[in-house]
Amino acid sequence: MPVLSNSQKFDLVTIMNAHIPHAALLGIQVESIEREELTLRLPYQTHLIGNHETGTLHGGVLTVLLDQTLGMATVCSDASEPSVTPTLDLRIDHLGIAPAGMSIFASARVYKATRKILFVEGIAYCESKEKPIARATGSWVRVAEVDLSWIVSSDKDAASP
Amino acid sequence: MTSRSNARDKPCLETLHHWLEKIPYAMFLGIKAEPSKKDIIFILPKNKKFIGNPSLPALHGGVIGAFMEQAAALHLVGSMDAAALPKIINFSLDYLRPAQLRDTYASCILSRKGRFISNLTITAWQEHINQPNAIARAHFLTPETN
């Protein structure tokens, strides 16, 4: 099983993301993939506000974005083959506030893969990764492998010839 | 637990509704709160827009988490004369069963209401409370009182 290239991972994650109705509803987009790190973007929307006086986003919206990002980062891991992975658990520390009017980014990567469990960590931020507004860790269970034959055979810059 | 602390800890439905209507995201999720025999039950009504896995279909785990966090915050402000909504410190969530496309319920226990920090445990279920879909713990900064 070759390690997928960045562009193959981007195609895979973009298709997965588009097939998740709630992610599409919130306008969650794939921002970038850099090796094993996936970044998603959530545009600011007034119906996602938690504090009506300040216009800041609801903490629960970060839960949705981080669950989505950490969960999809599992298919970007080079240490295991892309799998169908339901969430086992998720822990979020709220380090700051998501400011009004700004898109939120979330980046995540698998830091340990075992045969059955993928351990993932990630952050949510607005302006800079150096100033995260939330930090998440969680574990995902590998229940079935994803068929990648279509993406490996169709991609021109596959990692192996 | 004494009956006095029970009375204090059971949230006031009217207070809770006052806050619920001020939260755009809670309105977007369509969260409702209803009294039960001893407590308050929060409801996330069945809605196709919450689907995370269309092939099962199952609700998005993040939405279940957001609903549980919101339930905990409302339970807390419903239990006191709060001047503002509580700020979340951290949230820890265990997923036990996929949530089907149907109504989801949550109930909370205010494990500790400290002067500065409050701890709540939350259970979310669909068919029966003894078969929860998810369980969670949350810490909040306790809001100041009026």
Side-chain angles (χ1 to χ4, degrees):
Chain A
M1 173 70 206
V3 170
L4 295 178
S5 67
N6 279 347
S7 69
Q8 285 173 330
K9 288 178 186 174
F10 192 92
D11 289 348
L12 178 61
V13 167
T14 301
I15 288 168
M16 287 173 67
N17 189 56
H19 281 84
I20 298 174
H22 191 66
L25 179 78
L26 297 190
I28 294 175
Q29 298 282 325
V30 182
E31 179 73 11
S32 65
I33 291 174
E34 193 56 46
R35 297 167 67 91
E36 295 188 285
E37 186 181 85
L38 167 70
T39 301
L40 301 184
R41 184 174 80 92
L42 171 74
Y44 182 79
Q45 293 150 76
T46 52
H47 54 266
L48 304 184
I49 288 171
N51 184 327
H52 68 290
E53 287 175 0
T54 59
T56 53
L57 288 186
H58 195 284
V61 175
L62 295 177
T63 303
V64 175
L65 178 63
L66 286 163
D67 181 47
Q68 178 84 10
T69 311
L70 271 68
M72 293 215 312
T74 58
V75 301
C76 301
S77 168
D78 295 333
S80 71
E81 298 190 3
S83 306
V84 176
T85 51
T87 317
L88 183 61
D89 60 52
L90 180 65
R91 145 95 188 203
I92 298 175
D93 289 325
H94 291 268
L95 311 174
I97 286 168
M102 296 188 66
S103 287
I104 310 280
F105 298 90
S107 298
R109 59 180 274 276
V110 173
Y111 66 91
K112 174 69 182 177
T114 69
R115 193 174 60 81
K116 200 68 190 164
I117 305 294
L118 296 157
F119 298 91
V120 193
E121 61 185 359
I123 54 168
Y125 57 96
C126 280
E127 290 164 273
S128 156
K129 263 190 186 175
E130 312 307 315
K131 290 192 282 183
I133 54 177
R135 181 173 174 82
T137 55
S139 39
W140 273 257
V141 187
R142 300 182 67 197
V143 293
E145 285 185 9
V146 175
D147 177 13
L148 289 173
S149 52
W150 58 276
I151 199 165
V152 172
S153 60
S154 68
D155 197 287
K156 293 189 188 83
D157 67 348
S160 63
Chain B
M1 194 183 262
T2 65
S3 59
R4 186 163 170 266
S5 70
N6 264 330
R8 184 193 65 199
D9 287 345
K10 182 178 173 178
C12 165
L13 198 60
E14 201 173 298
T15 308
L16 196 151
H17 276 131
H18 160 79
W19 288 107
L20 182 58
E21 287 162 14
K22 288 177 186 282
I23 308 167
Y25 184 61
M27 303 303 282
F28 172 70
L29 293 182
I31 293 174
K32 294 188 285 190
E34 288 179 2
S36 71
K37 277 183 203 156
K38 288 185 187 170
D39 214 335
I40 297 290
I41 290 180
F42 297 89
I43 303 154
L44 177 71
K46 164 186 170 176
N47 193 322
K48 282 184 180 171
K49 72 182 182 183
F50 303 145
I51 290 176
N53 182 332
S55 56
L56 287 176
L59 301 183
H60 196 291
V63 176
I64 299 296
F67 165 57
M68 294 170 82
E69 179 190 320
Q70 184 60 81
L74 288 166
H75 187 102
L76 178 57
V77 290
S79 306
M80 59 187 292
D81 181 22
L85 285 163
K87 286 203 175 77
I88 182 97
I89 301 168
N90 50 38
F91 188 66
S92 184
L93 179 61
D94 293 337
Y95 291 101
L96 307 175
R97 294 172 180 85
Q100 298 166 36
L101 182 56
R102 51 190 292 176
D103 289 355
T104 307
Y105 306 94
S107 68
C108 309
I109 295 169
L110 182 52
S111 310
R112 165 135 205 239
K113 186 169 77 186
R115 193 171 153 205
F116 301 111
I117 292 170
S118 295
N119 178 301
L120 294 102
T121 60
I122 310 107
T123 302
W125 74 95
Q126 291 188 319
E127 286 183 47
H128 195 276
I129 193 166
N130 292 334
Q131 292 180 313
N133 295 79
I135 51 177
R137 288 180 300 113
H139 283 113
F140 290 94
L141 291 173
T142 308
E144 289 183 7
T145 50
N146 280 314

